[in-house]
Every structure is written in structure tokens, then in C-alpha cells.
Amino acid sequence: MAKVRITQVKSQIGTRYDHRGTLRALGLGRIGSTATHEDTPSIRGMLHQIQYLIKVEEDGAETAPAATGKTA
């Protein structure tokens, strides 16, 4: 399953209480902190709720082919 990398880019000071709880549930809490989660509908709903505080990137590590290390 695909993964998403979430980075907090804005302070949680002055935000709603439930938005701060969503940040904690995602494993964030400081500006610049990053967490990786499975791309599920529940996670996407959480990201939508706090989209003004975070930056979301698709984690391409799952789709890249593994290097075998063999030479021809």
C-alpha cells in the first residue's frame, strides 16, 4: 500500500483543540517534524482537517524498483 510523508510547517499555537489532537495522533508536534503513514481514507480525513498546518508528499520508496547490485 502507498505511504504518505507528512511534515508540519506551521505552529499549532492558536489552532483549535481538536486540530492539535489530530497533530498528536499523526505523531507531529513541532514545526519541521515528519511522520510517515499508510495512505488510508481515515488518514486522508485527518490530513484534510489540518491541511493548513502541514505539507503532504507521496512516499515514492514503495514504487521504486529495488536495486539488485548485480553487474552484467
Side-chain angles (χ1 to χ4, degrees):
M1 182 170 256
K3 294 192 180 262
V4 290
R5 185 177 316 143
I6 308 148
T7 305
Q8 184 175 348
V9 295
K10 189 174 176 190
S11 174
Q12 62 185 343
I13 297 173
T15 61
R16 291 177 38 174
Y17 181 76
D18 55 333
H19 291 190
R20 292 192 299 268
T22 302
L23 283 171
R24 283 191 305 271
L26 288 171
L28 303 173
R30 296 175 184 254
I31 296 174
S33 62
T34 302
T36 304
H37 292 279
E38 295 288 331
D39 190 8
T40 62
S42 60
I43 294 292
R44 284 291 176 173
M46 294 168 83
L47 300 180
H48 179 72
Q49 184 182 31
I50 59 168
Q51 63 187 350
Y52 64 100
L53 297 172
I54 59 172
K55 178 177 72 168
V56 179
E57 301 169 338
E58 301 296 325
D59 196 5
E62 295 293 320
T63 58
T68 59
K70 296 181 181 176
T71 57

